[in-house]
Amino acid sequence: MNPWRLRLLTQLDTLGTVRAVAQAANLSPSSVSQQLAVLETETGTQLLERTGRRVRLTSAGLILARRARAILDHMDTVEAELRGFGEEPSGLVRLGAFQSVVHTLAVPAVTRLSREYPHLDVQLLELEPHESVPALRVGDADLVITTTDFAEQPLGPDLDLLPLATDPILLVLPPEHPAAGREPADLTAFADEAWAFDIPQSYMANLALRLCRQARFEPRVVARFSNYMLTLELVEAGHAVALLPGLAVDAGRFRVVTRELAGPVTRTITAAIRRGVPPRAAVRVVLDALRPPADGVV
């Protein structure tokens, strides 16, 4: 069985459609279909069945796709062990992280690793929670920093998790806002405000919408940014208010006021790797570098 074709099969299991697999692999849908047909010939088993205009995995296809993840991970481990036999951890590790932990967790870890392991290359990928777990599952990332609180992207038994920190969700206001006090904020009082949100279907966009609706109002969204710096600039200028994770608020750079919520909301920041064969040495040292210090301070 060709490992490349096995990877296409695992991507079909994760992404759901041949078109999505083709986009992820930079191929045409017809090329993906042809390669999967070759894999069926290699295995002598029907792996796909057509339902209307779409294809789905047969029972045999599902079994092979899920076994293939362990096979591919094991091959990566063996390759890395052979390359670094008798040496310190080396090679490429792809670390996915959402933007507010890139500078607080990921960059400090990579900086320490670059001093300790000169033959280790860590590639940082900015991946929000709605992107990182699919990327991990299809093999486009070796480990990711995500959150266990994103209900729309559950972390299943196929992943091993390492809790790293907790982070409060804060209401962010312009510095001269009349409600810029110290006491916890009741979102109901902000029903008439203009709001800045993250992009649709992202973790923070879904969470902010849910919290506003729990406060019994539909937010008037005047801006959507995937970059928290742009959100903070807009709030600082007085054009909107926002809900942001505490780690995303750079109070030294932006003149904004933060208030905790009357009903406190936190997110759990978690590292995740694929479950199966033990991670290769290079992945282990990156994971260890992300672990919180003994005093628990991030």
Side-chain angles (χ1 to χ4, degrees):
M1 289 181 287
N2 182 287
W4 178 59
R5 286 190 273 272
L6 285 176
R7 194 173 297 280
L8 292 178
L9 188 72
T10 65
Q11 289 179 321
L12 181 60
D13 182 33
T14 301
L15 301 176
T17 67
V18 169
R19 183 173 298 277
V21 174
Q23 290 175 341
N26 292 318
L27 297 170
S28 67
S30 60
S31 295
V32 172
S33 297
Q34 289 169 4
Q35 293 303 318
L36 293 174
V38 173
L39 183 60
E40 285 188 311
T41 301
E42 288 177 336
T43 60
T45 306
Q46 183 182 355
L47 304 174
L48 308 172
E49 59 186 0
R50 184 167 293 279
T51 57
R53 299 179 62 184
R54 300 181 64 179
V55 296
R56 66 180 182 184
L57 296 178
T58 63
S59 297
L62 285 170
I63 290 172
L64 180 58
R66 289 161 192 184
R67 298 288 190 193
R69 288 194 182 92
I71 293 169
L72 294 167
D73 284 346
H74 189 66
M75 290 177 65
D76 289 342
T77 300
V78 171
E79 273 192 283
E81 287 176 349
L82 291 175
R83 285 197 305 268
F85 189 74
E87 300 175 1
E88 78 274 11
S90 62
L92 176 67
V93 176
R94 297 159 300 171
L95 170 61
F98 50 86
Q99 59 174 296
S100 59
V101 298
V102 167
H103 68 283
T104 55
L105 289 179
V107 169
V110 171
T111 301
R112 293 194 301 273
L113 289 166
S114 66
R115 293 193 296 264
E116 297 174 18
Y117 302 102
H119 300 294
L120 175 67
D121 295 317
V122 181
Q123 183 183 68
L124 275 176
L125 309 170
E126 184 185 335
L127 297 172
E128 293 300 308
H130 66 286
E131 302 168 315
S132 61
V133 173
L136 179 63
R137 284 179 167 141
V138 302
D140 290 339
D142 298 302
L143 72 158
V144 300
I145 304 174
T146 185
T147 176
T148 58
D149 307 301
F150 190 23
E152 292 82 355
Q153 191 61 256
L155 305 179
D158 59 323
L159 303 178
D160 282 327
L161 308 178
L162 172 67
L164 300 177
T166 57
D167 190 27
I169 304 301
L170 304 174
L171 178 66
V172 187
L173 304 171
E176 309 303 330
H177 195 285
R182 292 180 177 272
E183 68 280 0
D186 182 350
L187 287 185
T188 306
F190 298 85
D192 296 328
E193 297 282 350
W195 287 82
F197 269 33
D198 207 325
I199 58 174
Q201 301 308 312
S202 64
Y203 166 71
M204 275 310 305
N206 290 358
L207 175 60
L209 181 60
R210 184 161 60 248
L211 291 175
C212 290
R213 287 177 174 173
Q214 287 173 359
R216 299 187 178 180
F217 70 91
E218 196 70 19
R220 179 168 61 90
V221 180
V222 299
R224 286 188 180 271
F225 299 120
S226 62
N227 187 313
Y228 291 151
M229 299 298 104
L230 297 178
T231 301
L232 289 166
E233 284 182 4
L234 191 74
V235 173
E236 181 183 49
H239 298 306
V241 301
L243 286 166
L244 291 178
L247 288 177
V249 182
D250 187 345
R253 181 175 175 184
F254 297 95
R255 291 183 62 252
V256 295
V257 174
T258 60
R259 289 178 60 183
E260 296 182 353
L261 301 182
V265 178
T266 61
R267 62 175 179 173
T268 301
I269 300 171
T270 302
I273 60 174
R274 293 185 296 277
R275 177 171 292 177
V277 297
R280 54 193 173 95
V283 174
R284 286 200 305 272
V285 297
V286 176
L287 194 60
D288 288 342
L290 294 171
R291 293 177 186 272
D295 59 10
V297 178
V298 176

